[in-house]
Amino acid sequence: DQLRTKEQLGYIVSAFSRKTAGSAAGFSVVVQSSTTLPQELEKRCEAWMVSFREQLGSMPAEDIAKEAAAVVAQLMERNMRLADEVATA
């Protein structure tokens, strides 16, 4: 929301966790912009990561548990084929 909507850095903005080649945990931020230079994108992404880390650090344990439960529920959902998805809509 911050980078794409509020700062309007680009049409494609994504942040996600990942595993690197040595199984280390990583965090990626992807921003595609036709109007902002790469150096500015990097600066704004770094600032957002600092802010996001502070936000996570001050998040109550109950909220973290709710977020974790939502992720688990999403991972446990059965993958639907397009035909199944359309039929239930």
Side-chain angles (χ1 to χ4, degrees):
D1 183 49
Q2 177 66 37
L3 296 175
R4 182 171 185 259
T5 305
K6 294 179 181 171
E7 295 189 37
Q8 299 183 349
L9 287 185
Y11 185 73
I12 297 174
V13 177
S14 176
F16 52 92
S17 63
R18 61 184 172 80
K19 289 208 175 196
T20 62
S23 294
F27 187 74
S28 294
V29 178
V30 176
V31 179
Q32 181 177 334
S33 176
S34 61
T35 59
T36 308
L37 293 173
Q39 296 85 351
E40 183 65 19
L41 290 175
E42 184 175 7
K43 180 177 144 189
R44 308 256 294 268
C45 288
E46 291 287 340
W48 173 79
M49 286 192 291
V50 168
S51 170
F52 184 59
R53 184 177 184 152
E54 291 169 356
Q55 181 182 356
L56 288 176
S58 65
M59 186 180 276
E62 304 84 46
D63 290 352
I64 293 173
K66 286 179 190 175
E67 293 291 333
V71 169
V72 168
Q74 188 177 28
L75 291 172
M76 298 297 290
E77 281 183 3
R78 180 177 74 87
N79 285 335
M80 296 182 92
R81 295 177 304 146
L82 181 59
D84 295 334
E85 214 170 312
V86 172
T88 62

